[in-house]
Amino acid sequence: MIYPWQQTLWHNWQQLLEQRRLHHAILLLAAKGSGRGVLARQLSKTVLCQNSQVEPCDVCHSCKLFDAENHPDFHVIKPEQDGKQIGVDAVRQCNRWAVETSHLNGQRVILIEHADALGEAGANAILKTLEEPPAGCQFILTAQSLDRLLPTVVSRCNKWRLNPPDEANVKNWVESQLQQSILLESVRLNNGAPLATLAFIESGLDIRYGHLVTAFTAFVQPPHIGIYDVAAMCSADGIVTLQLLSYFLVDCLKWQQGVTQYLVHQESLPAVEAIAATIPTALLLEQIRNINNLHRQLAKHTGLNIELLVVEWLTGFIGK
Ligand SMILES: [Zn+2]
């Protein structure tokens, strides 16, 4: 199974598979929430399939094992936790898998998810294998973008970028999945990523975020009531809400500067306008910087008290 916006890339791969020209190390660059894991698994399953070269037959022993997540020749490594590096031990395990003989007399596939989390040591450990993998060994690496990938890794791979669908198509697709209409700002808050948008709405975060914007907008204006409610709302959904609030404040800043195109908060413009009219630009800038720092800090250290830190940040809006 693959998603509609993955078809073009998939057809390119299928052609290469048919001609037996697929590079032994594929690097798939795709945004979070675009289903890159699904696409990487589709390719893996196809490479391993015993009946077909261009798409999984779904009936052979290999396909069955793959679907049961029990394929002895399919190996995956990724960071143990979001934001953490892939351990060097895991990378060394890849080297061992690469030289193993196939259990099913076919290919082996090694999938490295979040390849941008390969640290320098990890990358060095895999470079030689990536460059000259043993026969019958297919590497697939996935990452969000080239930004955090080590050039030494990139240079040994064949790069493919999954272009996201335009936002109108994302909106249509999510609406067709949910059988309900959705706000354009839900798509923009998720950077246009279809699966992320779908999850945003299915989890009810869209509604809770709407409430947060209302409470936050009320708090920021004198007499600044409800600081603990806003902090509790942020804390309930975790650091993702800080990211969303940061987008909101950036919209307010843009509004102050007369930029009205491509604001994220299309359907919450009255709130954007209210804040833009209340907070001086310098304070807006400072608070955007502060919330981004806070977001980074909380992403790095999981033990911190988010509610307390958000209260401290919110205090920055009072009495200036
Ligand atoms: Zn098959």
Side-chain angles (χ1 to χ4, degrees):
M1 197 262 320
I2 56 167
Y3 295 107
W5 57 90
Q6 301 177 333
Q7 289 288 353
T8 311
L9 179 48
W10 176 239
H11 288 151
N12 285 326
W13 284 351
Q14 284 184 307
Q15 274 178 2
L16 292 169
L17 283 165
E18 194 168 16
Q19 301 159 358
R20 297 183 184 275
R21 283 176 46 223
L22 192 76
H23 193 274
H24 58 257
I26 293 289
L27 171 59
L28 170 61
L29 301 166
K32 211 171 158 184
S34 62
R36 64 180 180 223
V38 170
L39 183 57
R41 277 167 181 76
Q42 173 82 356
L43 177 59
S44 306
K45 191 176 167 187
T46 305
V47 167
L48 294 167
C49 175
Q50 295 167 324
N51 282 335
S52 163
Q53 239 168 277
V54 292
E55 61 189 330
C57 72
D58 285 337
V59 294
C60 73
H61 187 45
S62 173
C63 284
K64 291 242 162 78
L65 285 172
F66 195 94
D67 287 340
E69 296 181 22
N70 204 12
H71 201 297
D73 295 324
F74 176 58
H75 307 287
V76 185
I77 65 164
K78 58 183 174 191
E80 274 174 33
Q81 240 185 313
D82 246 13
K84 291 255 154 54
Q85 279 194 353
I86 297 178
V88 181
D89 286 345
V91 179
R92 294 209 178 103
Q93 180 63 49
C94 288
N95 288 329
R96 287 193 288 274
W97 286 325
V99 295
E100 260 180 19
T101 44
S102 158
H103 293 268
L104 294 189
N105 230 347
Q107 305 263 319
R108 282 107 60 225
V109 176
I110 298 174
L111 170 61
I112 303 181
E113 297 193 291
H114 299 274
D116 39 10
L118 279 172
E120 194 128 9
N124 286 336
I126 195 91
L127 283 184
K128 212 170 145 27
T129 313
L130 267 187
E131 193 157 45
E132 287 175 61
C137 181
Q138 174 73 52
F139 272 94
I140 304 171
L141 286 73
T142 66
Q144 199 156 212
S145 72
L146 283 178
D147 299 346
R148 290 170 53 224
L149 278 164
L150 293 164
T152 45
V153 171
V154 177
S155 68
R156 282 160 179 82
C157 297
N158 182 215
K159 291 189 290 291
W160 294 85
R161 198 180 295 278
L162 177 64
N163 291 320
D166 64 40
E167 59 182 23
N169 281 330
V170 174
K171 189 168 179 288
N172 286 339
W173 181 79
V174 175
E175 286 176 340
S176 73
Q177 296 298 305
L178 295 172
Q179 302 285 323
Q180 68 177 69
S181 62
I182 66 163
L183 302 178
L184 179 58
E185 71 186 33
S186 292
V187 178
R188 292 189 174 178
L189 283 166
N190 289 284
N191 301 306
L195 297 178
T197 306
L198 181 62
F200 181 72
I201 296 165
E202 278 184 324
S203 68
L205 184 53
D206 61 330
I207 293 171
R208 292 196 298 281
Y209 177 62
H211 293 156
L212 173 62
V213 166
T214 307
F216 177 72
T217 309
F219 159 74
V220 165
Q221 301 173 83
H224 306 295
I225 288 169
I227 189 167
Y228 294 102
D229 291 340
V230 175
M233 289 164 118
C234 287
S235 161
D237 274 305
I239 62 173
V240 61
T241 50
L242 302 189
Q243 175 111 60
L244 300 174
L245 274 184
S246 164
Y247 293 159
F248 180 72
L249 292 177
V250 168
D251 272 356
C252 298
L253 191 67
K254 285 184 176 170
W255 187 269
Q256 281 186 345
Q257 290 163 349
V259 181
T260 52
Q261 272 180 339
Y262 208 84
L263 295 174
V264 172
H265 294 77
Q266 281 301 301
E267 287 91 353
S268 307
L269 283 179
V272 169
E273 219 180 325
I275 301 260
T278 311
I279 308 178
T281 305
L283 179 57
L284 256 184
L285 276 168
E286 190 188 323
Q287 287 292 70
I288 291 170
R289 210 164 31 237
N290 290 343
I291 199 172
N292 289 341
N293 285 338
L294 185 54
H295 182 268
R296 265 193 296 277
Q297 197 187 349
L298 286 163
K300 219 168 167 184
H301 309 285
T302 41
L304 297 173
N305 185 333
I306 171 166
E307 200 164 336
L308 214 66
L309 291 165
V310 171
V311 166
E312 200 180 304
W313 174 72
L314 289 169
T315 312
F317 287 103
I318 306 175
K320 289 202 183 176

